[in-house]
Amino acid sequence: FYSFLDNYYVIIPSLVIKGGEYIIKKNNKGESTEIIKTKLSTIHAILLFVFNVLFLYNYLSLELWKNGLLYSVVYNVMDMVYLYYSDMKIKKELLFHHFMLITCIIPILVNLNIELPYNYYRVVAINFLCEITTIPLNLAWILYAKNNHNTFNFKALSGLTILLYIPFRICLTSYL
């Protein structure tokens, strides 16, 4: 799958992700690192959701979808390094969440000489649809961190998080 780049296949995603983080920092001067990382997480969630919808509807080839998953793994590893050294209250939960995401992607990207279930790619793609809930959750958290939690936008985003959580996190993952 990654033969054209041999051992360097994680360099390009790493540079793209760090470049995205740099652009966010440059356009949001004075923002805390947590807010910058949350904005990057929101972009990751949007892209992951879109890539998986396109793959499930056959608008994205298997190889391109796998390439998107590689970017997701690299993003998650980079975020785990940040989380490990941070003092976030939910650090352990987020590290576990990232670890689980990586664990389900690795068999797709790396030949482990194991037979995957015939529908494994589809199940993984369906599972990643739950990342849609991350978008309003992160945006609400940014408003909360900026002490804008008594605003209509915060309340609307919080409500949207709950509305999306039910079908995408509870129903979808219980189906899988």
Side-chain angles (χ1 to χ4, degrees):
F1 174 57
Y2 294 108
S3 61
F4 70 98
L5 289 174
D6 294 324
N7 295 327
Y8 304 106
Y9 64 87
V10 297
I11 292 174
I12 294 171
S14 300
L15 292 174
V16 169
I17 293 164
K18 283 311 245 182
E21 185 176 349
Y22 172 78
I23 291 168
I24 293 170
K25 276 184 190 176
K26 188 172 177 146
N27 290 316
N28 294 273
K29 292 184 185 200
E31 297 282 10
S32 70
T33 302
E34 280 190 50
I35 290 177
I36 299 295
K37 292 288 190 178
T38 303
K39 289 181 178 183
L40 188 61
S41 168
T42 305
I43 293 169
H44 173 257
I46 292 167
L47 292 174
L48 192 59
F49 178 78
V50 169
F51 253 66
N52 284 286
V53 167
L54 292 174
F55 176 71
L56 288 167
Y57 282 99
N58 296 317
Y59 292 113
L60 203 62
S61 71
L62 178 63
E63 292 305 309
L64 194 52
W65 179 69
K66 286 181 178 182
N67 197 37
L69 292 181
L70 172 65
Y71 278 74
S72 187
V73 167
V74 172
Y75 165 78
N76 279 285
V77 169
M78 293 169 78
D79 203 42
M80 285 176 81
V81 171
Y82 164 73
L83 288 168
Y84 182 79
Y85 292 106
S86 77
D87 59 349
M88 290 182 72
K89 292 178 182 175
I90 59 169
K91 173 170 65 172
K92 291 178 184 174
E93 292 84 352
L94 288 173
L95 285 168
F96 179 74
H97 171 77
H98 285 22
F99 175 76
M100 294 305 294
L101 288 172
I102 292 168
T103 301
C104 92
I105 295 173
I106 291 299
I108 295 171
L109 299 179
V110 179
N111 184 1
L112 299 174
N113 292 323
I114 58 172
E115 187 175 334
L116 296 173
Y118 74 94
N119 61 345
Y120 188 74
Y121 296 164
R122 187 166 185 76
V123 168
V124 169
I126 290 170
N127 188 53
F128 282 137
L129 294 180
C130 69
E131 287 298 307
I132 192 71
T133 61
T134 302
I135 300 163
L137 176 67
N138 282 355
L139 296 175
W141 184 88
I142 290 168
L143 290 174
Y144 183 83
K146 291 181 172 187
N147 205 21
N148 290 325
H149 47 86
N150 289 324
T151 64
F152 172 78
N153 287 342
F154 176 79
K155 292 173 184 172
L157 287 166
S158 298
L160 184 57
T161 300
I162 294 167
L163 283 174
L164 290 172
Y165 195 89
I166 294 166
F168 285 96
R169 293 277 178 165
I170 296 172
C171 296
L172 191 65
T173 55
S174 65
Y175 161 76
L176 298 173

